[in-house]
Amino acid sequence: MKELMKALCTAWKEEWQGMVMGGLRYSRGEADTYGPCKVSCSGRRIFRVRVTKGTADMSILLFPPSKKAGKERNGEGALWRRFSAEEVRSFSLSLGDHNEIHQTPRPVVSGFQIVLALAEGKNFNTFHIRFHHPLYAGEAVYLKKEGKTIYGFSRVLCFEAVIE
């Protein structure tokens, strides 16, 4: 999965600076061990970036940041974790993620970092996550599970993920 994330980062364009990830879809498939990753991107205001390797597939949607307020947490969920600023900056650099929002004094946690943390130790074939609000380094993250859906809150709903 991380190899596909790194490949997505190679498609980076300067005009995407400051954009936020709106969603990520991943299908494990059968990765071709020796073949290259194939990366494509499309869009004008909202961008879809996709990478395939064998039948493994990952795509992300990039959106301009929004000032909309999110759904308040209201005490929902159990404390999951906090991502430190140094952890966020280091992770983004290791992935080759060039978005400056991950390198500020109070960086936005990378969607890729959230996905890998949620997927850790789980055996799954597909993963889909929608991001509603940026999660900043240092903020406590609370998880609430309903069926196959995992909701992640800071003070507001930040993401909802389905892992199958």
Side-chain angles (χ1 to χ4, degrees), residues 13 16 40-50 61:
K13 297 179 187 283
W16 298 348
S40 62
C41 59
S42 61
R44 291 189 177 179
R45 181 165 148 51
I46 296 171
F47 295 92
R48 179 176 185 231
V49 188
R50 181 178 180 203
L61 290 175

Side-chain angles (χ1 to χ4, degrees), residues 17-21 65 88 92 97-104 106-109 134 136:
Q17 201 61 259
M19 295 187 93
V20 295
M21 190 182 296
V88 172
S92 293
D97 188 337
H98 303 287
N99 196 335
E100 63 194 18
I101 65 174
H102 306 307
Q103 299 301 320
T104 65
R106 186 173 174 237
V108 172
V109 179
Y136 292 91

Side-chain angles (χ1 to χ4, degrees), residues 128-146:
H128 176 235
I129 188 167
R130 289 181 51 216
F131 296 97
H132 299 281
H133 193 272
L135 175 66
Y136 292 91
E139 290 183 328
V141 184
Y142 300 85
L143 296 183
K144 178 182 176 186
K145 187 169 183 181
E146 290 181 359

Side-chain angles (χ1 to χ4, degrees), residues 11-159:
W12 182 256
K13 297 179 187 283
E14 190 60 35
E15 65 260 28
W16 298 348
Q17 201 61 259
M19 295 187 93
V20 295
M21 190 182 296
L24 178 146
R25 288 187 179 273
Y26 171 72
S27 178
R28 182 181 305 275
E30 293 296 322
D32 177 355
T33 310
Y34 302 105
C37 290
K38 296 175 186 162
V39 181
S40 62
C41 59
S42 61
R44 291 189 177 179
R45 181 165 148 51
I46 296 171
F47 295 92
R48 179 176 185 231
V49 188
R50 181 178 180 203
V51 63
T52 58
K53 184 168 183 169
T55 58
D57 181 90
M58 181 179 286
S59 64
I60 60 172
L61 290 175
L62 296 173
F63 291 84
S66 169
K67 301 288 184 202
K68 281 191 326 187
K71 176 184 170 190
E72 291 291 325
R73 184 170 77 82
N74 295 329
E76 296 181 69
L79 181 60
W80 177 48
R81 66 172 297 165
R82 290 177 197 264
F83 294 89
S84 73
E86 184 51 41
E87 183 181 13
V88 172
R89 288 190 285 268
S90 177
F91 176 84
S92 293
L93 289 174
S94 75
L95 206 59
D97 188 337
H98 303 287
N99 196 335
E100 63 194 18
I101 65 174
H102 306 307
Q103 299 301 320
T104 65
R106 186 173 174 237
V108 172
V109 179
S110 168
F112 293 133
Q113 191 169 11
I114 293 168
V115 167
L116 287 176
L118 283 171
E120 191 174 299
K122 294 179 178 63
N123 187 16
F124 60 91
N125 291 317
T126 62
F127 190 107
H128 176 235
I129 188 167
R130 289 181 51 216
F131 296 97
H132 299 281
H133 193 272
L135 175 66
Y136 292 91
E139 290 183 328
V141 184
Y142 300 85
L143 296 183
K144 178 182 176 186
K145 187 169 183 181
E146 290 181 359
K148 293 181 180 180
T149 304
I150 300 169
Y151 298 92
F153 294 89
S154 59
R155 59 180 169 62
V156 295
L157 177 64
C158 294
F159 60 86

